[in-house]
Amino acid sequence: QKEVEQDPGPLSVPEGAIVSLNCTYSNSAFQYFMWYRQYSRKGPELLMYTYSSGNKEDGRFTAQVDKSSKYISLFIRDSQPSDSATYLCAMRRNAGNNRKLIWGLGTSLAVNP
Amino acid sequence: SQTIHQWPATLVQPVGSPLSLECTVEGTSNPNLYWYRQAAGRGLQLLFYSVGIGQISSEVPQNLSASRPQDRQFILSSKKLLLSDSGFYLCAWSTPLGEQYFGPGTRLTVT
């Protein structure tokens, strides 16, 4: 079993829809959780960063962490065609100087005008 | 502000040829640095990371090596490329909290 599971999709939604992207994980030691957006042939771009459980909102994006269920989500409100990309979740433990991240495989999202 | 550069952007190399990819970071000091490879349609595979000059940790046994000759310079090398080395190579640096920021990547095709 992988440490981080993420449905690869593809996920296709109409413009204006609310999008829900999810990751599950198995290691209860993970404390820091991130969401990245990656456009085709580009490097990943950090969207959201959260520590421990709870919600964090930034514009149309909301990140949610449920440590009891080992489940994280990214919600995109009023989705736009420019949101079409691959979304990667990443997480890490608190300890360790190397700050290595454990990555999901990414979910491909298409927002159709 | 911090910026990260990678070059070249695209590279086509024959099997058996050497490789050198360079990554430099500006606007921060003593960053952790990382090399990843992303195969088509697949996730990010961590190849090497470095917590300081001359300190390299390898994540997977492979045909590649890495070096960090200066604080903000990270180099990925190979003496003889294999077909399986093709992919999208990404360099990243991290903040003390662990957020990683990526460069634009190098698309390598080994023919």
Side-chain angles (χ1 to χ4, degrees), chain B residues 21-39:
Chain B
L21 303 181
E22 189 164 341
C23 170
T24 58
V25 182
E26 296 176 358
T28 186
S29 57
N30 197 30
N32 277 18
L33 297 173
Y34 308 84
W35 277 112
Y36 288 91
R37 178 170 59 205
Q38 189 174 37

Side-chain angles (χ1 to χ4, degrees), chain B residues 3-99:
Chain B
T3 55
I4 179 168
H5 305 278
Q6 279 186 253
W7 62 91
T10 306
L11 196 57
V12 180
Q13 293 281 98
V15 167
S17 63
L19 173 74
S20 181
L21 303 181
E22 189 164 341
C23 170
T24 58
V25 182
E26 296 176 358
T28 186
S29 57
N30 197 30
N32 277 18
L33 297 173
Y34 308 84
W35 277 112
Y36 288 91
R37 178 170 59 205
Q38 189 174 37
R42 300 183 66 177
L44 292 168
Q45 179 187 32
L46 180 63
L47 301 176
F48 301 93
Y49 67 90
S50 171
V51 300
I53 296 174
Q55 301 178 62
I56 308 295
S57 295
S58 174
E59 285 295 292
V60 291
Q62 59 209 322
N63 186 40
L64 303 168
S65 62
S67 62
R68 186 170 175 175
Q70 300 180 47
D71 182 42
R72 287 169 284 180
Q73 184 185 31
F74 204 22
I75 297 171
L76 183 70
S77 304
S78 173
K79 292 182 180 177
K80 288 186 177 181
L81 282 169
L82 306 172
L83 285 173
S84 58
D85 292 323
S86 293
F88 190 41
Y89 288 82
L90 289 155
C91 180
W93 70 276
S94 78
T95 70
L97 289 178
E99 303 151 81

Side-chain angles (χ1 to χ4, degrees), chain A residues 10-53:
Chain A
L11 183 61
S12 182
V13 301
E15 183 175 353
I18 296 175
V19 176
S20 173
L21 303 165
N22 312 295
C23 287
T24 59
Y25 61 94
S26 57
N27 190 341
S28 58
F30 288 142
Q31 296 277 1
Y32 297 88
F33 304 91
M34 281 147 267
W35 284 97
Y36 286 79
R37 176 176 63 195
Q38 186 177 21
Y39 292 115
S40 180
R41 306 177 82 86
K42 302 288 187 184
E45 169 194 10
L46 180 63
L47 277 179
M48 301 288 281
Y49 178 94
T50 52
Y51 171 69
S52 196
S53 284

Side-chain angles (χ1 to χ4, degrees), chain A residues 87-111:
Chain A
Y87 290 80
L88 298 140
C89 65
M91 49 199 78
R92 74 173 187 100
R93 298 176 301 159
N94 196 24
N97 185 41
N98 57 51
R99 307 170 206 151
K100 288 192 297 182
L101 297 179
I102 308 302
W103 293 85
L105 291 180
T107 299
S108 176
L109 171 67
V111 181

